[in-house]
Amino acid sequence: QVQLVESGGGSVQVGGSLRLSCTASRIVLSTNGVMWYRQTPGKEREWVAVVASGGARNYADSAKGRFTVFRDNEKNTVYLEMNNLEPEERGIYYCKTKKRNRDYWGQGTQVTVSA
């Protein structure tokens, strides 16, 4: 069973930084794209960033210039580096990958941004 485990969430002040991790088992992330999403109370889950299997990266407009998604193939882990965090970016962050047309999600990691 494919498993994704997120970690690295926490509580920071506005303008702070966090690095989230998404570590996988039973799937090689370097051969699959990995997406990061954010779930904020009262809102739909929204896409934040993606690193494709070929290494191409893309970001939601709000994340461009402040977030970086990258992969460590040896650790089979994808990271989301978030800088200059804003209050509206609090929420639960999830990573997702796909294998054989099936989506796999992690359990999420909580990010709190306070003034």
Side-chain angles (χ1 to χ4, degrees):
Q1 180 74 7
V2 172
Q3 187 175 24
L4 300 178
V5 178
E6 299 97 335
S7 61
S11 181
V12 296
Q13 292 186 326
V14 171
S17 299
L18 285 172
R19 177 181 289 185
L20 308 183
S21 301
C22 172
T23 301
S25 56
R26 295 185 178 86
I27 190 170
V28 179
L29 294 183
S30 61
T31 62
N32 295 274
V34 175
M35 294 184 171
W36 284 96
Y37 289 80
R38 174 173 61 239
Q39 178 80 62
T40 303
K43 293 185 177 181
E44 292 188 1
R45 193 172 294 187
E46 59 180 326
W47 171 73
V48 176
V50 59
V51 56
S53 56
R57 298 176 283 187
N58 201 7
Y59 304 90
D61 287 344
S62 62
K64 289 178 181 177
R66 297 183 298 116
F67 290 14
T68 303
V69 61
F70 59 100
R71 195 169 57 208
D72 184 330
N73 293 338
E74 289 188 2
K75 294 182 179 179
N76 203 28
T77 298
V78 169
Y79 301 91
L80 182 66
E81 180 87 23
M82 306 186 295
N83 297 311
N84 197 17
L85 282 160
E86 300 169 352
E88 55 269 26
E89 291 169 331
R90 72 190 187 285
I92 301 174
Y93 283 71
Y94 299 89
C95 61
K96 185 191 82 170
T97 193
K98 177 175 288 190
K99 182 179 180 180
R100 295 175 185 168
N101 289 323
R102 176 179 173 179
D103 288 340
Y104 293 91
W105 294 85
Q107 84 291 346
T109 186
Q110 178 77 49
V111 171
T112 303
V113 184
S114 57

